[in-house]
Amino acid sequence: MDRANFWAERRQLAGHVHYRTANAAISLPSLLSSYPGTVSLVCVQYPDPALRTERHVVNERFVEDVLQTLKPGGMVLLQSELEATATHMRDTFEFYGGGAFALHSAHMQPDATFLPSDLGESSTHQAGTGKSTVTSTDGRMVYSGGVSMRTMPNSSLSASAVQDKSGGACDADSTGPVPFTNDSQHAHPQWHSTWANAGWLASNPVGVPTEREVFMDQVTGGRIYRVLLQRM
């Protein structure tokens, strides 16, 4: 931490960049209470402990804090090298966000995404139309995005633009608050993520990789699971 702040000072960025250690799961409001500007991006990257979702930084309280922190148009980047962890983060934001978050339009770009492991990886994008279609390995259409980039509010995808595996629209708020289990699956079998079928982003939309991300990309060649959300 001291080294990072030293580097910022050496690059004459001390007034613009600052690093500190805290438990964001419970301290986000107090951390930002004296911040004079507008928060435009919240990143949760490769959190630990990765496999213990009951202590995960992304929980109901964290989602509520981020909701209060971001103005409409603000973004949330979630990424992990573990699909189960990324799924937990994505599902927690979708379920507890109350419709205040939506998938960013980056998920609609040609060849921008790959599908979760329980779906096939076949996708097409109609150039110039802003429309994408994703199909599973058995040929069923699981996602169809037909909202123009020019007319899409806040450059995001609403839940109604994302379909479940059977082709029917899902209502993320239809079952009320349901706790997550350790494997990031909801206890209520009727709840299904409407965001899952839009896939994971194949590249970092922010363009500033962490050391963990560089290591995964250049050393292990491992896959990274990313979702970019936008505050409505």
Side-chain angles (χ1 to χ4, degrees), residues 148-230:
S148 168
M149 292 288 290
R150 292 187 297 273
T151 60
M152 188 179 299
N154 295 321
S155 299
S156 59
L157 299 179
S158 64
S160 62
V162 183
Q163 297 176 315
D164 68 10
K165 298 177 185 179
S166 63
C170 291
D171 181 1
D173 298 319
S174 61
T175 62
V178 180
F180 290 93
T181 58
N182 291 347
D183 61 358
S184 192
Q185 296 295 322
H186 292 284
H188 201 299
Q190 295 181 355
W191 190 92
H192 299 284
S193 170
T194 62
W195 293 349
N197 298 307
W200 305 108
L201 288 175
S203 60
N204 189 327
V206 178
V208 183
T210 66
E211 292 182 1
R212 183 74 163 269
E213 188 170 345
V214 172
F215 177 80
M216 292 291 296
D217 181 54
Q218 299 182 4
V219 180
T220 70
R223 177 165 275 182
I224 298 172
Y225 303 89
R226 306 178 180 89
V227 170
L228 185 64
L229 309 177
Q230 190 157 33

Side-chain angles (χ1 to χ4, degrees), residues 58-176:
V58 177
N59 52 32
E60 180 181 3
R61 177 174 176 177
F62 182 79
V63 172
E64 293 173 351
D65 289 342
V66 172
L67 177 61
Q68 297 300 318
T69 298
L70 290 177
K71 302 292 185 182
M75 296 181 293
V76 179
L77 174 63
L78 310 170
Q79 56 180 5
S80 173
E81 76 276 29
L82 298 175
E83 187 172 16
T85 298
T87 298
H88 168 80
M89 294 192 292
R90 179 201 65 206
D91 289 358
T92 303
F93 265 90
E94 182 177 6
F95 191 81
Y96 291 114
F101 297 96
L103 290 173
H104 192 273
S105 60
H107 287 262
M108 286 186 64
Q109 300 305 311
D111 303 318
T113 63
F114 60 92
L115 292 182
S117 58
D118 61 341
L119 297 175
E121 296 191 17
S122 173
S123 63
T124 59
H125 181 88
Q126 301 176 32
T129 66
K131 297 182 179 181
S132 300
T133 298
V134 178
T135 57
S136 63
T137 51
D138 61 2
R140 293 176 297 163
M141 185 176 72
V142 294
Y143 166 66
S144 178
V147 183
S148 168
M149 292 288 290
R150 292 187 297 273
T151 60
M152 188 179 299
N154 295 321
S155 299
S156 59
L157 299 179
S158 64
S160 62
V162 183
Q163 297 176 315
D164 68 10
K165 298 177 185 179
S166 63
C170 291
D171 181 1
D173 298 319
S174 61
T175 62

Side-chain angles (χ1 to χ4, degrees), residues 35-40 69 71:
Y35 184 68
T38 299
V39 178
S40 59
T69 298
K71 302 292 185 182

